Amino acid sequence: MTYSETIAPAAGQQYHSDLPAEELITQINHLRREKNAVILAHNYQIPPIQDLADFTGDSLGLSVEAAEADAERIVFCGVHFMAESAKILSPDKQVFLPHLGAGCSLADSITPESLDDWKADYPDHTVVTYVNSTAEVKAESDICCTSANAVSVVRSLDSDKILFTPDRNLGRWVAEQVPEKEVVVYDGACPTHDVLRAASVERTRSEFPEAVIIAHPECREDVVEIAHEVCSTTGMLKAVEKYPEAKSFIIATENGMLHQLRQRFPHQEFVAADGCIGCRLHCPYMKITDLQDVYFSLLYERYEITLDDEVIVGARRALERMMAVPRDN
Ligand code: CIZ
């Protein structure tokens, strides 16, 4: 069977292909050329998807790459808010999310309505919203931030009163580093990061006593406190370069990151911080997309991300304001 012979299922039916992985990859490669599409894979995606992508990285970096790419279509292998960010930065391109089940509980923890209610209690505060949020929430915010630039963004603001949303762990970490400002933090969290405790990391460390511990700032305080480096997924790739002599690293973030690290640094060892091959550091939403979803996404041009113009304008303003902030680390 070739890509053109595949029959689209009736409405409500699951798309399914019996093609083996190698054939799916062949068909994906054919389709991406035919459709002038760029395939993006977040660092937390399954390894076969990371391996076939044109670009791998964090959500904002990928959206910026896609905006600069000479492509008509973007297939974003990640979660829903990430594909929205790509659409916000490339409103004239078609953006597709291969699996509609790829949501994000952290992004869903705040809605435009709950943000408005919260803002009403703090009328003098400036709203800083982590990019792990819906486009509508971004559009209601003063400025966005990533886990890489959150501290610089908060420092850059004229205001000393900040509402930080939606991640309470990232917000607490930012507040600790910018003590001169009042940072009121929303009570959302990424369940994949929030489940990890220092005790699990210590158990892993007992097997790798010399390991460098690298943690994502979405982790809880007890984990961040014992880490040697605290950074975004892109920051982790740079952090490893600081330790050319280190034999092993304990990685406290979603386990998809281990694949990127092992590819880039094949002579060093990377282990999941929960000590059980990353079984708890597993985001079900990030892992829901597989090769056949990418194939059907290209073949049937689904599931297209559409956003109201007003939302695009508001969210883009918050993202561009963030992108104009110089990094101070
Ligand atoms: O925004 C992203 O890409 C996420 C979820 C994490 C990171 O640090 O790259």
Side-chain angles (χ1 to χ4, degrees):
M1 185 166 62
T2 68
Y3 71 97
S4 55
E5 288 163 342
T6 310
I7 307 297
Q13 272 186 300
Q14 185 82 21
Y15 275 67
H16 175 75
S17 161
D18 290 327
L19 294 180
E22 312 80 68
E23 182 56 20
L24 281 172
I25 293 169
T26 305
Q27 298 294 345
I28 289 168
N29 287 338
H30 177 97
L31 284 164
R32 72 167 131 196
R33 280 193 298 275
E34 184 184 280
K35 307 242 174 176
N36 190 16
V38 66
I39 301 177
L40 311 178
H42 190 270
N43 289 323
Y44 297 158
Q45 290 288 289
I46 59 169
I49 289 187
Q50 293 193 33
D51 291 346
L52 68 75
D54 295 291
F55 300 102
T56 51
D58 62 75
S59 63
L60 185 75
L62 288 172
S63 299
V64 170
E65 297 270 19
E68 288 166 1
D70 182 20
E72 289 164 70
R73 300 182 174 88
I74 300 169
V75 176
F76 205 127
C77 304
V79 293
H80 195 268
F81 78 82
M82 299 181 173
E84 284 188 341
S85 294
K87 183 69 186 173
I88 294 162
L89 296 187
S90 299
D92 298 331
K93 293 180 180 163
Q94 278 187 296
V95 178
F96 302 101
L97 181 72
H99 199 303
L100 268 190
C104 171
S105 22
L106 173 59
D108 290 347
S109 69
I110 187 157
T111 62
E113 294 75 26
S114 53
L115 176 57
D116 280 348
D117 286 349
W118 198 44
K119 281 187 339 192
D121 293 337
Y122 298 92
D124 301 331
H125 287 57
T126 299
V127 178
V128 178
T129 295
Y130 185 29
V131 288
N132 291 32
S133 52
T134 63
E136 284 82 5
V137 167
K138 288 184 178 78
E140 296 286 313
S141 306
D142 294 302
I143 186 166
C144 286
C145 71
T146 65
S147 49
N149 65 18
V151 171
S152 317
V153 164
V154 169
R155 279 202 187 116
S156 76
L157 297 169
D158 290 336
S159 169
D160 285 342
K161 293 173 177 213
I162 309 295
L163 286 187
F164 190 95
T165 181
D167 191 276
R168 63 170 177 255
N169 291 322
L170 178 61
R172 184 214 65 252
W173 184 69
V174 170
E176 277 163 19
Q177 291 177 71
V178 195
E180 64 279 15
K181 300 205 180 198
E182 181 203 344
V183 183
V184 182
V185 178
Y186 192 77
D187 193 21
C190 161
T192 305
H193 288 92
D194 201 53
V195 78
L196 185 66
R197 299 290 189 281
S200 303
V201 185
E202 291 296 6
R203 254 197 314 277
T204 310
R205 180 157 44 188
S206 65
E207 285 177 48
F208 300 90
E210 306 296 327
V212 176
I213 301 174
I214 307 185
H216 196 279
E218 287 179 34
C219 291
R220 285 176 172 243
E221 189 171 13
D222 59 338
V223 172
V224 164
E225 269 171 3
I226 59 169
H228 299 95
E229 301 284 342
V230 180
C231 44
S232 67
T233 58
T234 301
M236 289 183 182
L237 294 165
K238 293 194 195 110
V240 170
E241 289 175 2
K242 287 166 50 182
Y243 300 89
E245 305 300 327
K247 289 194 174 48
S248 53
F249 295 82
I250 292 173
I251 304 299
T253 193
E254 209 282 339
N255 64 24
M257 192 61 208
L258 297 172
H259 181 65
Q260 261 318 296
L261 289 161
R262 288 171 183 155
Q263 297 284 104
R264 307 254 188 127
F265 305 98
H267 304 299
Q268 286 163 304
E269 184 172 17
F270 298 93
V271 292
D274 60 358
C276 59
I277 58 165
C279 53
R280 269 171 292 166
L281 293 170
H282 169 102
C283 170
Y285 301 112
M286 278 290 181
K287 297 297 193 280
I288 203 169
T289 306
D290 65 21
L291 287 175
Q292 59 174 317
D293 299 311
V294 181
Y295 165 63
F296 286 125
S297 180
L298 282 161
L299 183 62
Y300 298 124
E301 303 189 3
R302 57 185 298 174
Y303 296 95
E304 186 166 3
I305 301 293
T306 54
L307 294 169
D308 289 348
D309 290 347
E310 206 183 318
V311 170
I312 292 188
V313 170
R316 194 179 171 107
R317 179 193 37 76
L319 282 172
E320 285 180 343
R321 215 178 146 195
M322 165 192 78
M323 291 192 276
V325 173
R327 291 283 299 277
D328 62 5
N329 55 12

